[in-house]
Amino acid sequence: MLKRFLALLLLLPGSAMAVDGVREINQACALAGCFPGDFPGFPVTINLSGSFRLTSDLDVRGVSTPENRSAIEVGNVGGSPALDVTIDMNGFAILGPVSCTGNPVTSCTPVGGTGDGIRTNGNPEAKIRIFNGLIRGMGSSGIDCNETCFVTDVIVEQSGSEGFADSNGESIYTRCVARRNGASGFFVNGQVRDSLALGNADTGIFTNPDSMIISSRSIENGGNGVRCSTCSLLDSLINDNLGVGVEFSGRPIYGRNLIDGNDGGEISGSALQVDVNRCGVSAC
């Protein structure tokens, strides 16, 4: 009888644990508290390692000053840090109040927000995996990663600041889209692979030293297409940006790229060519 009762509890709406052992996150439990260590209201706080799955959209627009509210925060908040966390967005969205105008973006309102879609807090040993969802309209960044993050199949659009941001670790962004955000599309360490930066207010893909940009596109952004400092830029398309196509500094390498139609010129600085690159119809 007790086993049957516990099984029924697992199936109730808003239950924090699915039958496969993955902890669920949804709008109802976000407002009530999803699991131990998570207080009612946003952000949903993850202070334990494990797998988590969205089972509905998360919408912060109904709270006070929603531009300053993050939806999910991982680690180092009132307890032991979560070191190994997987967040399956499960095709759902995280929604905030910001709306951006222009293509590329010229303004976003409200301005000056501090809330992120998903924020992770600076434990250098942590590994965070995030995949399969949409983040729209957050006050600051869509994803702000301060560890090593592996982000796959995530779209971020109309954030008040960067789409994807990180400052530590060696993160990998694969098949991600940063579209029409209020600052750079990607402002990251690590690797950007098979991804797109489109119509952002500033640089499309801004990478810190020793990063890699591979098989990606940076198109129609309001600043430079790519900022590459001692990075590798390979097999990518950079065109129709309002600034320079690619800003090189340090000791970068590049090869098999097409750089064309950028208002500020195709290349600033110099890099080691490891294979042919095209600037319009000419080699560069």
Side-chain angles (χ1 to χ4, degrees):
M1 189 71 175
L2 177 60
K3 289 182 179 179
R4 186 176 180 184
F5 174 71
L6 292 173
L8 288 172
L9 280 181
L10 290 172
L11 298 175
L12 288 174
S15 172
M17 184 77 77
V19 292
D20 58 0
V22 178
R23 294 179 182 271
E24 295 183 354
I25 300 173
N26 52 53
Q27 187 77 4
C29 83
L31 300 178
C34 288
F35 26 75
D38 176 40
F39 294 101
F42 290 107
V44 174
T45 301
I46 298 174
N47 271 339
L48 62 163
S49 298
S51 294
F52 302 82
R53 180 190 299 131
L54 268 62
T55 54
S56 78
D57 292 343
L58 297 181
D59 192 341
V60 305
R61 292 175 294 182
V63 305
S64 61
T65 59
E67 68 274 18
N68 296 329
R69 198 68 62 96
S70 296
I72 297 175
E73 192 159 334
V74 181
N76 287 355
V77 183
S80 300
L83 295 181
D84 192 350
V85 172
T86 297
I87 301 173
D88 178 4
M89 296 185 68
N90 198 26
F92 288 104
I94 293 174
L95 303 171
V98 173
S99 177
C100 299
T101 59
N103 189 27
V105 166
T106 54
S107 65
C108 298
T109 54
V111 300
T114 58
D116 301 311
I118 300 175
R119 173 185 295 167
T120 72
N121 289 289
N123 188 317
E125 298 179 0
K127 301 291 185 290
I128 314 297
R129 299 162 188 83
I130 304 166
F131 58 95
N132 190 26
L134 167 70
I135 303 175
R136 177 189 294 137
M138 302 308 296
S140 185
S141 298
I143 293 178
D144 185 358
C145 177
N146 291 286
E147 289 84 24
T148 296
C149 288
F150 304 92
V151 185
T152 306
D153 296 320
V154 175
I155 299 170
V156 174
E157 60 185 19
Q158 299 194 62
S159 294
S161 188
E162 288 87 12
F164 299 89
D166 68 60
S167 57
N168 297 305
E170 291 293 331
S171 298
I172 301 177
Y173 300 85
T174 306
R175 297 191 303 274
C176 290
V177 176
R179 182 169 58 200
R180 301 187 62 242
N181 296 288
S184 295
F186 294 84
F187 193 101
V188 299
N189 291 338
Q191 300 179 30
V192 178
R193 292 176 170 269
D194 301 304
S195 293
L196 170 66
L198 173 65
N200 301 286
D202 205 339
T203 301
I205 304 174
F206 186 112
T207 57
N208 287 323
D210 302 318
S211 296
M212 300 179 70
I213 303 168
I214 302 172
S215 300
S216 294
R217 294 175 292 160
S218 185
I219 302 170
E220 298 177 0
N221 297 288
N224 296 339
V226 168
R227 187 264 198 181
C228 176
S229 174
T230 314
C231 87
S232 302
L233 174 63
L234 304 169
D235 297 303
S236 294
L237 172 66
I238 302 101
N239 68 286
D240 297 333
N241 298 285
L242 297 188
V244 175
V246 182
E247 176 193 355
F248 286 123
S249 63
R251 301 179 306 280
I253 65 171
Y254 74 135
R256 301 182 301 276
N257 301 290
L258 175 60
I259 308 166
D260 186 36
N262 300 286
D263 288 3
E266 311 306 358
I267 292 176
S268 170
S270 60
L272 174 64
Q273 247 190 122
V274 294
D275 208 331
V276 175
N277 297 275
R278 308 294 296 187
C279 288
V281 297
S282 303
C284 61

